[in-house]
Amino acid sequence: MADILVAEVQDLRAGYGEIQVLWGIDLAVPAGEITALIGSNGAGKTTLMRALSGLIPAQCTRYRTDGVDLAGATAAQIIAQGIVHVPEGRRLFGAMSVEDNLLMGAYSRNIRRADLRRDLDRVYSTFPKLRERRGQAAATLSGGEQQMCAIGRGLMAAPRLLMIDELSLGLSPLLVEQLVAALRELNSQGMSILLVEQDVTVALELCHSAYVMDMGRIVRTGQGHQLLADPIIRDAYLGVP
Ligand code: ATP
């Protein structure tokens, strides 16, 4: 499984108008694994996820998923290939119910009602809280439940790679633990995950491998447990020698 790359990028450059943010990113995300992106504020992690989702224009010499060429593809084409982005800040439709938000994730899929129901049930079994609250407006959910709903909406798009930006931002340690457990479960069922996470300990304990970004470049990469023990990483991101 690990030989298959669910996302493979070479020399990716992107930014906002005249401002270049990413300066030649090489990334290989193995299928079936959790890969983390860490780095200080402004390092370019969100920008990289936006570029991979086709939300901002990017140049690269290669962008592929499992052999399929995605260089220059639109956001819709990228989602159709199963690269699905759960954005920072969750971006739910606050006035709509939890279930309608989840169904929005499947909007572009042409599937039968029974399959939609089966996928909803899968999301509800991963996040039982969402089943309890399925008729409630999304805006009335707690922060952790909103994150569950945003991830659930991503799952409804049938991802091959689920990209989650800022999993734990603003959430209590208990909720973070629940979300981490849910991601481990999804991964054990085969889901590939690319995670941006500002809590470096959470990220490195959860992931198989990680990329460290600084000023729009990848400056280090390795297995999670190796980076967790790396004195440079500990000093720079964990505040301990
Ligand atoms: P954070 O953890 O703070 O979200 P990040 O690593 O995700 O950081 P990005 O949000 O990708 O970093 O930001 C990288 C750089 O791009 C920063 O210098 C930021 O100011 C700039 N930037 C981000 N969004 C925009 C935008 N819409 N227009 C112009 N510059 C932007």
Side-chain angles (χ1 to χ4, degrees):
M1 189 89 162
D3 293 339
I4 300 172
L5 295 177
V6 75
E8 185 188 11
V9 192
Q10 273 172 14
D11 196 21
L12 183 132
R13 285 151 285 126
Y16 303 93
E18 299 287 288
I19 306 164
Q20 187 166 348
V21 174
L22 303 178
W23 299 83
I25 301 286
D26 293 339
L27 192 72
V29 183
E33 293 196 359
I34 301 178
T35 304
L37 279 176
I38 60 171
S40 47
N41 286 346
K45 306 176 298 293
T46 295
T47 303
L48 177 53
M49 285 206 165
R50 288 192 185 132
L52 294 174
S53 312
L55 295 175
I56 58 169
Q59 287 83 48
C60 60
T61 53
R62 176 188 287 248
Y63 179 18
R64 296 165 81 84
T65 177
D66 191 11
V68 178
D69 191 10
L70 290 176
T74 63
Q77 289 165 335
I78 290 171
I79 289 183
Q81 285 300 326
I83 312 278
V84 174
H85 184 185
V86 178
E88 187 180 3
R90 294 134 207 174
R91 311 272 163 85
L92 297 173
F93 300 96
M96 283 168 50
S97 71
V98 167
E99 187 149 302
D100 284 345
N101 269 277
L102 294 176
L103 289 171
M104 287 301 284
Y107 182 71
S108 60
R109 291 168 68 202
N110 190 10
I111 58 169
R112 292 179 307 144
R113 258 188 118 71
D115 293 333
L116 213 51
R117 195 68 247 168
R118 178 206 57 204
D119 288 1
L120 266 179
D121 281 339
R122 265 195 212 144
V123 170
Y124 288 144
S125 71
T126 305
F127 299 113
K129 267 267 154 21
L130 294 183
R131 191 193 297 277
E132 281 171 36
R133 306 210 185 284
R134 63 182 181 275
Q136 216 170 297
T140 66
L141 297 178
S142 71
E145 290 161 357
Q146 288 191 15
Q147 185 63 291
M148 292 172 192
C149 191
I151 295 172
R153 182 179 57 184
L155 291 172
M156 289 300 291
R160 208 199 288 237
L161 174 64
L162 189 65
M163 301 197 294
I164 305 174
D165 196 356
E166 297 292 11
L167 178 74
S168 76
L169 200 67
L171 304 181
S172 71
L174 186 65
L175 273 165
V176 176
E177 239 173 71
Q178 288 175 12
L179 285 166
V180 162
L183 293 194
R184 279 192 209 283
E185 186 194 319
L186 287 169
N187 176 248
S188 74
Q189 294 162 5
M191 180 66 65
S192 313
I193 296 169
L194 180 64
L195 179 71
V196 166
E197 172 53 45
Q198 38 96 35
D199 186 325
V200 172
T201 309
V202 167
L204 295 181
E205 282 178 353
L206 176 61
C207 74
H208 296 90
S209 63
Y211 287 83
V212 185
M213 288 185 73
D214 188 35
M215 298 180 74
R217 293 184 163 86
I218 303 288
V219 293
R220 227 177 171 82
T221 178
Q223 292 180 326
H225 63 89
Q226 286 172 340
L227 292 174
L228 208 47
D230 183 328
I232 293 174
I233 299 296
R234 293 177 72 79
D235 185 39
Y237 299 102
L238 302 174
V240 288

